[in-house]
Amino acid sequence: MSLAQGRPYLAIPGPSTMPDRVLNAMHRAAPNIYEGALVEMTRGIYPDLRRVADTKAHVAIYIANGHGAWEAANANLFSRGDKALVAATGRFGIGWADSARRVGVDVEVIDFGRASPADPARIAEALAADTAHTIRAVLVTHVDTATSVCNDIPAIRAAIDAVGHPALLAVDCIASLGCDEFHMDAWGVDVMVAASQKGLMVPPGLGFVWFSDKALAASQQSDLVTPYWDWKPRAVGAEYYQFFCGTAPTHHLFGLRESLTMILDEEGLPHVWARHERLARAVWAAFEAWGRGGDIALNIADPARRGHSVTAARIGGGGAGRLRKWLETEAGVTLGIGLGMALPTDPAYQDYLRVAHMGHVNAHMTLGVLATMEAGMRALGIPHGPGGVEAAAAVVAGV
């Protein structure tokens, strides 16, 4: 008998669960886009976007998803034929590399695989070999949404500096902003990209690019930039429409205003980061218990290198695929697919899943997902160790 009736729960790594407050803020008539309340509200969004990234850098807002934010960064950073070094730790690192390559950038990829963080020493080695300084920027994900790898951004910055290379450091924070601790300025990041639909708890549709004065200066010579992607008027436009290259994404801005208030002024970023860390550890504890009695394992072995917004895992023998289907049809819970871990035509594709714990999540949401997962494994006869939910509950309880 299906028990999926009632409000479904989406535990995928974006779009994340959106607060009713955010949705209610968006549920209004279209505003005046030339003057008045919308324009005044938008002025307050920009400093708060700097606060959430811990930066004094410029910030541009695009009507786009994360792929659009990649393209905005690429268009402003590079000219055709420029070289980029990409440290890939999963499908989204590979995706950013492909995005740059397709607009004419010469891309060198250091592929660290699907279960390991980027090695700063290898990045330094590649930069040291570039004695002509043809590499214009190093691109890396903070947390790769597909693998849940969390890369050590300060160590990568230190590796760039240690070899005296002038390359800019550009970081994809799409899966980590508002979930994992991040300090753009203190960590020496020149360009940072993110999107609205994950830790910021707003529907898909807004892409963000933060960029330093150094990156702004470097962008003056870019021949890939087009009127829409140009970040200069979006950051310092003289008229309101210039911030969006036309009509503003009005209702998304209302939602964003509400989410930033919740994150920055009510909960506070340190607590947001601590909440995500605790809930992530609860998920890890459950998987570790289950893995002691079955072919079940977390994708990233080192807890220090796991992101706090999403957990990638393996349940062998097609167990992950069967469990995902059971959860959606029988319990009303949707888990993420194992993106980039195997081709959809490969039977191993059904061995991978992802559990998201990003944005508007709390203890009962996360424990509920884990409890229904354990019920599903029992119903499907998937071998697993006992005590997964108990282990997660102990983490939540702080014992």
Side-chain angles (χ1 to χ4, degrees):
M1 179 182 73
S2 173
L3 300 176
Q5 297 73 24
R7 187 168 185 166
Y9 185 69
L10 198 64
I12 66 172
S16 65
T17 300
M18 288 163 281
D20 288 339
R21 284 176 55 180
V22 168
L23 297 175
N24 290 338
M26 300 174 70
H27 189 73
R28 64 179 69 198
N32 184 345
I33 61 170
Y34 304 108
E35 59 186 3
L38 176 68
V39 176
E40 293 303 315
M41 181 192 72
T42 305
R43 288 196 181 103
I45 285 176
Y46 285 87
D48 281 352
L49 285 173
R50 294 185 182 94
R51 287 172 65 194
V52 81
D54 193 17
T55 183
K56 295 179 180 178
H58 310 279
V59 59
I61 302 174
Y62 295 87
I63 304 173
N65 55 20
H67 290 72
W70 284 344
E71 188 152 331
N74 295 338
N76 286 280
L77 281 173
F78 300 108
S79 292
R80 187 172 298 276
D82 279 351
K83 189 169 183 178
L85 178 66
V86 177
T89 54
R91 181 67 192 87
F92 287 88
I94 297 295
W96 197 1
D98 184 58
S99 173
R101 187 179 293 112
R102 291 180 66 183
V103 296
V105 179
D106 178 12
V107 179
E108 177 185 349
V109 176
I110 306 177
D111 190 348
F112 294 96
R114 298 187 295 263
S116 299
D119 180 356
R122 288 183 60 189
I123 295 172
E125 182 181 351
L127 292 173
D130 178 35
T131 55
H133 293 169
T134 59
I135 294 172
R136 190 170 180 84
V138 175
L139 314 183
V140 63
T141 54
H142 183 210
V143 173
D144 193 292
T145 324
T147 60
S148 70
V149 171
C150 182
N151 285 305
D152 189 340
I153 302 304
I156 293 172
R157 174 77 266 175
I160 297 171
D161 294 344
V163 296
H165 199 287
L168 298 168
L169 175 59
V171 181
D172 172 346
C173 292
I174 294 168
S176 62
L177 184 66
C179 303
D180 284 84
E181 185 169 355
F182 193 87
H183 305 281
M184 181 176 176
D185 290 354
W187 291 0
V189 175
D190 296 295
V191 175
M192 171 183 163
V193 301
S196 58
Q197 71 270 22
K198 298 183 186 290
L200 295 185
M201 311 181 296
V202 177
L206 296 181
F208 310 99
V209 182
W210 293 256
F211 52 100
S212 67
D213 286 336
K214 182 180 176 182
L216 175 60
S219 72
Q220 302 296 332
Q221 305 304 317
S222 171
D223 68 12
L224 287 177
V225 71
T226 59
Y228 186 79
W229 295 117
D230 191 355
W231 62 25
K232 293 183 287 295
R234 290 176 181 269
V236 294
E239 297 186 53
Y240 186 70
Y241 80 90
Q242 291 179 298
F243 289 94
F244 306 102
C245 198
T247 304
T250 54
H251 290 71
H252 278 74
L253 292 174
F254 287 124
L256 179 62
R257 174 63 276 159
E258 193 71 15
S259 72
L260 290 172
T261 297
M262 294 173 69
I263 291 168
L264 296 169
D265 300 325
E266 296 178 2
E267 185 174 0
L269 263 179
H271 192 277
V272 169
W273 294 331
R275 171 169 55 86
H276 281 85
E277 187 266 345
R278 178 78 70 89
L279 295 177
R281 286 196 294 110
V283 173
W284 305 342
F287 271 97
E288 286 160 1
W290 294 333
R292 287 192 282 270
D295 185 10
I296 299 173
L298 293 163
N299 187 51
I300 307 302
D302 182 0
R305 297 273 58 90
R306 297 175 192 154
H308 294 149
S309 59
V310 58
T311 295
R314 179 182 181 276
I315 304 178
R322 290 190 294 131
L323 181 60
R324 284 193 301 102
K325 182 176 180 181
W326 187 93
L327 285 170
E328 187 154 27
T329 60
E330 304 299 322
V333 174
T334 302
L335 299 181
I337 61 173
L339 191 61
M341 304 304 288
L343 293 174
T345 54
D346 186 339
Y349 181 80
Q350 298 298 332
D351 291 349
Y352 299 96
L353 55 73
R354 292 173 296 161
V355 181
H357 28 88
M358 57 170 58
H360 189 57
V361 291
N362 59 26
H364 84 75
M365 291 172 169
T366 300
L367 290 174
V369 169
L370 297 172
T372 52
M373 289 178 69
E374 190 164 296
M377 286 188 281
R378 290 185 181 185
L380 296 170
I382 296 172
H384 62 283
V389 175
E390 290 84 351
V395 173
V396 169
V399 298

